[in-house]
Amino acid sequence: MCPHCRAFITNRDKVCPYCNEPVGLRAIDRRDPRPLLGGLVPAAAFVTVLILVINLGLYVATTLYSMRAGNQQAFLGIDIRTLFDFGAKYRDAILLGQWWRLITAGFLHGGVLHFAFNSWVLFDLGAQTEEHFGAARMIVIYFAATVLGFMGSTWWSPAVSVGASAGLFGLIGAMIALGLKQPTGAVAAARGAYVRWAVYMLLFGLLPGLRVDNAAHIGGLVGGFATAWIAGTPYLARPLIERAWRVAAGICVFLTALAFLNMYLWLASQ
């Protein structure tokens, strides 16, 4: 099966006759193929699971913090003050120099339903994105989508906003970009589903009474699409490019850690 378009080919083909791409071992396939946790977690979903663990840890922390502040229903819904203290996006604070909120806001959630829905989508969509793009590109795509999503939200609204959905829309944008760059096979067939998914979720955010940050969603969608379009998928034949993407992923991890350090220092000073 061609690793690019998923068409069936012979083992003698050096170039896929359907998509005209060279057929060879992709850089992503150098990973350890053994699944994690006895098969519960695919090996290709390491970054996805790591993000889920961070989100869970922060949700537990914000729940306990909110309960200490007197919110007895903290498990169902985190109060605004707690979300702000832990790094929610807030226009006035960001304009005063708290840039790190553009990152930390993407790891916070306002309630158990918000957390559960985003986690369910991330586990499924993140694993698919990571399988096609590899860990390094997945990190850069998710980081860029989160930052650009909350930059769009900051421009659009002064309100407090949190959630992984900016990054999730970035993953949707990445898969749409992949479907456009590989216009044959299973990826292209799934492109329409991802487009419909994005449209339905954006329309859902327009329903009255819901506090949905569509500006963050649109910003994340654009950020993920653009990053994935530039990134492409990994190949063994381009070691310098692959090294550059690993460096870019390391920078994203460093900035994320720095953002959380700033959040902790700011919280400790209150």
Side-chain angles (χ1 to χ4, degrees):
M1 181 178 289
C2 173
H4 311 289
C5 70
R6 299 298 190 268
F8 287 102
I9 58 177
T10 72
N11 57 9
R12 297 184 300 275
D13 288 319
K14 301 302 181 183
V15 176
C16 176
Y18 299 97
C19 66
N20 295 318
E21 290 285 345
V23 178
L25 186 63
R26 300 175 300 165
I28 186 176
D29 292 324
R30 290 183 296 177
R31 65 177 184 268
D32 186 349
R34 292 174 296 178
L36 307 176
L37 299 180
L40 181 62
V41 179
F46 174 78
V47 174
T48 300
V49 173
L50 181 62
I51 295 172
L52 286 168
V53 170
I54 295 173
N55 289 351
L56 175 60
L58 283 170
Y59 189 71
V60 171
T62 52
T63 298
L64 295 175
Y65 188 92
S66 185
M67 290 179 66
R68 286 186 177 183
N71 180 14
Q72 300 303 314
Q73 302 297 321
F75 180 75
L76 299 176
I78 310 297
D79 64 278
I80 297 296
R81 180 65 199 187
T82 295
L83 294 175
F84 176 79
D85 287 347
F86 274 77
K89 166 248 145 179
Y90 184 58
R91 178 193 286 174
D92 291 348
I94 292 172
L95 294 180
L96 287 174
Q98 296 182 6
W99 57 268
W100 40 270
R101 293 182 180 273
L102 297 172
I103 301 173
T104 54
F107 296 88
L108 302 173
H109 292 86
V112 65
L113 293 179
H114 188 203
F115 171 75
F117 178 78
N118 280 352
S119 297
W120 167 57
V121 176
L122 177 59
F123 184 79
D124 186 28
L125 182 58
Q128 296 177 39
T129 308
E130 194 171 345
E131 179 182 0
H132 288 286
F133 288 95
R137 285 168 172 80
M138 164 75 171
I139 292 172
V140 177
I141 290 169
Y142 194 85
F143 179 88
T146 298
V147 172
L148 289 175
F150 283 106
M151 286 178 65
S153 175
T154 301
W155 173 80
W156 182 260
S157 169
V160 171
S161 179
V162 296
S165 51
L168 295 179
F169 267 85
L171 301 185
I172 294 175
M175 295 304 292
I176 294 174
L178 182 63
L180 290 173
K181 297 191 76 170
Q182 298 182 7
T184 59
V187 174
R191 182 186 63 207
Y194 289 115
V195 172
R196 290 191 296 273
W197 197 352
V199 171
Y200 294 156
M201 292 177 70
L202 288 174
L203 291 176
F204 178 76
L206 297 176
L207 295 177
L210 297 178
R211 294 183 296 175
V212 178
D213 193 347
N214 262 351
H217 294 171
I218 295 173
L221 184 68
V222 172
F225 180 92
T227 307
W229 187 269
I230 296 170
T233 52
Y235 291 94
L236 281 171
R238 301 181 299 183
L240 292 179
I241 294 178
E242 298 309 312
R243 188 176 299 116
W245 281 105
R246 289 194 292 272
V247 170
I251 293 172
C252 292
V253 171
F254 171 77
L255 290 175
T256 301
L258 183 62
F260 278 110
L261 176 62
N262 275 272
M263 177 271 288
Y264 173 77
L265 294 176
W266 182 85
L267 182 59
S269 67
Q270 301 305 303

